[in-house]
Amino acid sequence: MLNENIKAIRKSKGLSQEELAIKLNVVRQTISKWEQGLSVPDSDMLISLSEALETSVSTLLGETVTEAKADDLKAISEKLEVINLQLAQRKEVTKKILHWCFISLCAIVVIVFVLLVVLNSSYMGWDYSNPETAVIGVGLHSFEWLFMRIAPIVLIGSIVGVFMTRKKQ
């Protein structure tokens, strides 16, 4: 019973005898002997074996473990298909959100640019001797200076983003 359970659980975990042997710090032949019923692991090794196979010692010693059958594999493949569909839907929603974020960013850049042109940099005529207006004037001047240098890059990047995230027919 133990030998059959070790072999069935090892195979269900997708481990070779060599891989299990490496996990347990034994030689492959030891695993082979256990699976053939020619020898049995001692109590400490049995605990290590249960940890390596991620199962309980009672499962190794008691119940009969069967390998995955075709029905089990079919159920697993159906679950994976559902998960893949969910991931595809999530990816599509994320792509759509990104698309609209890029469009919004383009619109914001254009609107701010138009506002700066229409306002014609009115802060230049402000009285900088008054500390309150000086701070506001410097803040607006810094914003416009940064905006005029960064906005073209952001606008181009956003336009590229819009085209890269558009829905392809």
Side-chain angles (χ1 to χ4, degrees), residues 103-113 147:
I103 289 174
S104 300
L105 190 57
C106 286
I108 290 169
V109 168
V110 169
I111 289 169
V112 171
F113 182 75
F147 180 80

Side-chain angles (χ1 to χ4, degrees), residues 138-162:
V138 168
L140 287 173
H141 180 73
S142 299
F143 170 76
E144 185 175 338
W145 186 85
L146 277 173
F147 180 80
M148 289 302 177
R149 278 143 186 84
I150 296 173
I153 297 167
V154 171
L155 185 63
I156 291 169
S158 296
I159 291 170
V160 168
V162 167

Side-chain angles (χ1 to χ4, degrees), residues 128-143:
Y128 286 94
S129 62
N130 182 351
E132 291 176 3
T133 58
V135 170
I136 294 171
V138 168
L140 287 173
H141 180 73
S142 299
F143 170 76

Side-chain angles (χ1 to χ4, degrees), residues 27-165:
V27 293
R28 185 199 59 77
Q29 288 79 0
T30 302
I31 305 296
S32 177
K33 286 180 181 179
W34 291 345
E35 290 181 356
Q36 292 174 15
L38 300 175
S39 68
V40 293
D42 63 12
S43 60
D44 290 334
M45 188 55 71
L46 194 59
I47 293 170
S48 299
L49 182 60
S50 71
E51 290 171 355
L53 293 174
E54 299 171 345
T55 189
S56 65
V57 173
S58 61
T59 302
L60 285 173
L61 293 174
E63 359 177 303
T64 304
V65 179
T66 57
E67 292 183 40
K69 295 184 174 68
D71 292 339
D72 295 339
L73 294 176
K74 185 178 179 183
I76 290 170
S77 68
E78 288 172 356
K79 288 178 183 178
L80 286 174
E81 187 176 335
V82 169
I83 290 170
N84 282 338
L85 278 171
Q86 291 171 343
L87 288 174
Q89 288 171 343
R90 185 177 297 153
K91 184 179 177 183
E92 193 63 35
V93 167
T94 303
K95 189 175 176 182
K96 194 175 199 177
I97 290 170
L98 272 175
H99 181 75
W100 285 106
C101 285
F102 284 130
I103 289 174
S104 300
L105 190 57
C106 286
I108 290 169
V109 168
V110 169
I111 289 169
V112 171
F113 182 75
V114 168
L115 282 174
L116 287 174
V117 168
V118 168
L119 292 176
N120 200 20
S121 300
S122 61
Y123 64 87
M124 292 293 225
W126 286 4
D127 179 17
Y128 286 94
S129 62
N130 182 351
E132 291 176 3
T133 58
V135 170
I136 294 171
V138 168
L140 287 173
H141 180 73
S142 299
F143 170 76
E144 185 175 338
W145 186 85
L146 277 173
F147 180 80
M148 289 302 177
R149 278 143 186 84
I150 296 173
I153 297 167
V154 171
L155 185 63
I156 291 169
S158 296
I159 291 170
V160 168
V162 167
F163 281 105
M164 299 226 15
T165 58

Side-chain angles (χ1 to χ4, degrees), residues 10-11 13-29 31 35 49 52-53:
R10 175 184 60 79
K11 285 186 174 183
K13 299 287 182 182
L15 293 172
S16 66
Q17 287 183 344
E18 183 71 28
E19 291 168 330
L20 182 57
I22 290 170
K23 283 186 172 189
L24 297 172
N25 295 321
V26 296
V27 293
R28 185 199 59 77
Q29 288 79 0
I31 305 296
E35 290 181 356
L49 182 60
L53 293 174

